[in-house]
Amino acid sequence: MDYQHIRFDLADDIARITLARPARLNSFVVPMHVELRDALARTRDGRARVLVLTGEGRGFCAGQDLAERKFEDGLAPDLGASIEANYKPLVLALQELDMPVIAAVNGVAAGAGASLAFACDIVLAARSASFVQAFCRIGLIPDAGGSYFLPRLAGTARALGMALTGEAVSAAQAEAWGLIWRAVEDTELAAETERLARHFATAPTRALALAKRAIHAAAAAPSLAAQLDLERDFQRELGRGDDYREGVMAFREKRPAVFTGH
Ligand code: T3D
């Protein structure tokens, strides 16, 4: 598939998706969702061991393109259908990807664009970036997982503050609140993202994938015992893997480990 609204690259085990509608702050339109689904499938089925998601220009993503919402014919759009067809599959695909997903938030992340960042595993943000729960400004609630991620990441009080006021939260504040992994100087975002992506591309990918699953499962774990069972099962699988053996051997031989991802 040729892409018009995103750019996609897969090289050296690193997949990169760049949202590429800078004049509209990379807001979502339906064809962009179609392209994202295709690129995510290629990431999943290809040789990638890490995915980097970023935006072109001065914004990361401004959520749904509001120009796509037309009321001229007197009919209200079915936003539920839009979420079911586009936003829900996108967020689930990111969470279910068996590799680390880095969001390199280069500028404002608003509405579903903020939710998109929060659905990633590691969020690096440029200091000039901000996170805006813009939904309440247009009479909507946080979607694309926003109402799920916000209270888990930042706590109920901050989630409610963001959702009900729609005020922008700076990258530094987001880091202090635990909403994101790290805020970095604007000039360092690309280099820091590259450093982390290269690190993950040579990491024990299967272990990272199961760590991601275990952390997400913990949010819904019925008990500590159930989570301990999950850890046991994942550890049993990993203990039989090449990377565990390599990690232990490398430690004993006092040399860097060479992980294959298996
Ligand atoms: O509909 C469904 O399917 C349901 C799902 C909904 C999910 C959602 O995401 S709902 C929330 C939609 N997003 C928003 O409401 C955010 C709207 N944008 C803004 O509030 C502001 O643009 C920002 C806070 C993000 C950034 O502000 P600022 O001052 O830095 O930039 P700007 O001047 O407002 O925007 C620059 C251009 O991008 C501008 O176009 P222009 O005037 O230069 O031709 C602006 O219209 C355009 N733009 C920004 N966001 C959107 C957009 N165009 C269409 N849709 C947008 N979301």
Side-chain angles (χ1 to χ4, degrees):
M1 173 185 273
D2 287 338
Y3 300 133
Q4 308 295 320
H5 306 291
I6 66 170
R7 283 184 279 112
F8 178 71
D9 177 64
L10 202 172
D12 302 326
D13 296 334
I14 303 173
R16 292 184 173 82
I17 296 177
T18 304
L19 307 177
R21 304 183 67 237
R24 289 284 174 273
L25 299 183
N26 304 316
S27 52
F28 291 107
V29 284
V30 169
M32 186 196 238
H33 279 290
V34 173
E35 293 175 13
L36 281 169
R37 282 197 288 280
D38 189 76
L40 286 169
R42 288 172 64 185
T43 301
R44 196 172 46 239
D45 301 338
R47 290 178 37 80
R49 292 169 71 178
V50 54
L51 169 66
V52 177
L53 190 58
T54 193
E56 186 177 310
R58 74 173 178 89
F60 174 69
C61 176
Q64 170 64 38
D65 185 328
L66 299 176
E68 219 181 36
R69 297 283 164 258
K70 311 224 183 286
F71 300 89
E72 285 82 1
D73 55 7
L75 291 173
D78 183 348
L79 303 190
S82 161
I83 286 169
E84 190 63 33
N86 295 314
Y87 289 99
K88 186 175 163 188
L90 173 61
V91 170
L92 289 178
L94 289 169
Q95 289 263 299
E96 288 164 7
L97 214 51
D98 273 343
M99 66 189 75
V101 180
I102 302 171
V105 180
N106 52 301
V108 65
S115 303
L116 177 72
F118 300 144
C120 297
D121 303 314
I122 300 273
V123 184
L124 286 174
R127 259 184 215 291
S128 65
S130 58
F131 298 85
V132 191
Q133 288 297 297
F135 305 94
C136 62
R137 298 181 182 179
I138 57 167
L140 296 180
I141 66 153
D143 65 17
S147 67
Y148 179 92
F149 297 121
L150 274 177
R152 281 172 169 77
L153 292 169
T156 305
R158 286 161 180 161
L160 281 168
M162 288 182 77
L164 303 189
T165 68
E167 282 180 22
V169 169
S170 68
Q173 188 69 79
E175 181 189 43
W177 284 358
L179 262 175
I180 64 169
W181 171 237
R182 205 162 273 167
V184 299
E185 297 308 320
D186 288 21
T187 49
E188 287 169 17
L189 181 67
E192 183 58 16
T193 303
E194 192 62 19
R195 188 195 66 74
L196 206 52
R198 286 183 187 279
H199 166 76
F200 286 139
T202 55
T205 311
R206 184 64 187 156
L208 301 194
L210 293 188
K212 172 174 169 173
R213 270 198 225 167
I215 299 289
H216 288 309
S223 63
L224 172 60
Q227 189 69 12
L228 289 169
D229 287 351
L230 184 84
E231 291 177 359
R232 175 202 61 212
D233 294 345
F234 285 178
Q235 218 66 306
R236 178 174 286 140
E237 178 193 321
L238 293 168
R240 295 176 178 139
D242 295 343
D243 281 345
Y244 171 63
R245 182 185 163 82
E246 167 63 8
V248 173
M249 295 303 287
F251 176 79
R252 284 205 211 140
E253 293 164 10
K254 300 188 186 304
R255 61 172 175 79
V258 180
F259 294 117
T260 59
H262 302 294

